[in-house]
Amino acid sequence: MEASRSLGISYGKTMRKIILPQATKLMLPNFVNQFVIALKDTTIVSAIGLVELFQTGKIIIARNYQSFKMYAILAIFYLVIITLLTKLAKRLEKRIR
């Protein structure tokens, strides 16, 4: 900021061309990681579909009485969703760098 001020660059142009690109490069990977953590640990998962997954699983279990197999499938499905989100976060991080 001080260097741009000494060169006579305006505040708006300094923020747009110098400060914000550096701040975004530093902030975005942490922000995406926090989003993935929040998705894993909070009720966001319930809003997105964990409740629907288990309700559908209960319906299928009621039909064929294979609860272990159904819950294993649900766990794998949940693992795939979280893995895809984590890979997306890493891809965004690489793209920014």
Side-chain angles (χ1 to χ4, degrees), residues 43-56 74 77 81:
T43 58
I44 293 174
V45 174
S46 296
I48 290 176
L50 192 61
V51 172
E52 287 84 7
L53 279 175
F54 275 103
Q55 188 63 25
T56 305
L74 289 174
F77 187 70
I81 290 172

Side-chain angles (χ1 to χ4, degrees), residues 42-96:
T42 65
T43 58
I44 293 174
V45 174
S46 296
I48 290 176
L50 192 61
V51 172
E52 287 84 7
L53 279 175
F54 275 103
Q55 188 63 25
T56 305
K58 286 179 184 179
I59 292 169
I60 294 171
I61 289 168
R63 289 183 191 159
N64 61 15
Y65 303 108
Q66 294 179 350
S67 61
F68 179 76
K69 185 188 284 187
M70 191 62 228
Y71 286 131
I73 291 170
L74 289 174
I76 291 169
F77 187 70
Y78 181 71
L79 180 67
V80 166
I81 290 172
I82 296 300
T83 303
L84 289 176
L85 284 173
T86 305
K87 287 187 181 201
L88 176 67
K90 287 181 182 179
R91 184 176 288 171
L92 280 172
E93 187 175 339
K94 285 180 183 178
R95 181 178 282 183
I96 288 174

Side-chain angles (χ1 to χ4, degrees), residues 33 41 85:
N33 286 336
D41 292 342
L85 284 173

Side-chain angles (χ1 to χ4, degrees), residues 9-24:
I9 301 172
S10 69
Y11 177 79
K13 194 170 187 178
T14 300
M15 290 301 286
R16 193 172 51 251
K17 299 283 185 174
I18 299 168
I19 304 296
L20 289 178
Q22 292 177 14
T24 304

Side-chain angles (χ1 to χ4, degrees), residues 23-49:
T24 304
K25 188 175 182 179
L26 290 173
M27 180 267 320
L28 196 59
N30 293 329
F31 181 73
V32 172
N33 286 336
Q34 286 298 322
F35 175 74
V36 171
I37 289 169
L39 184 65
K40 289 178 184 177
D41 292 342
T42 65
T43 58
I44 293 174
V45 174
S46 296
I48 290 176

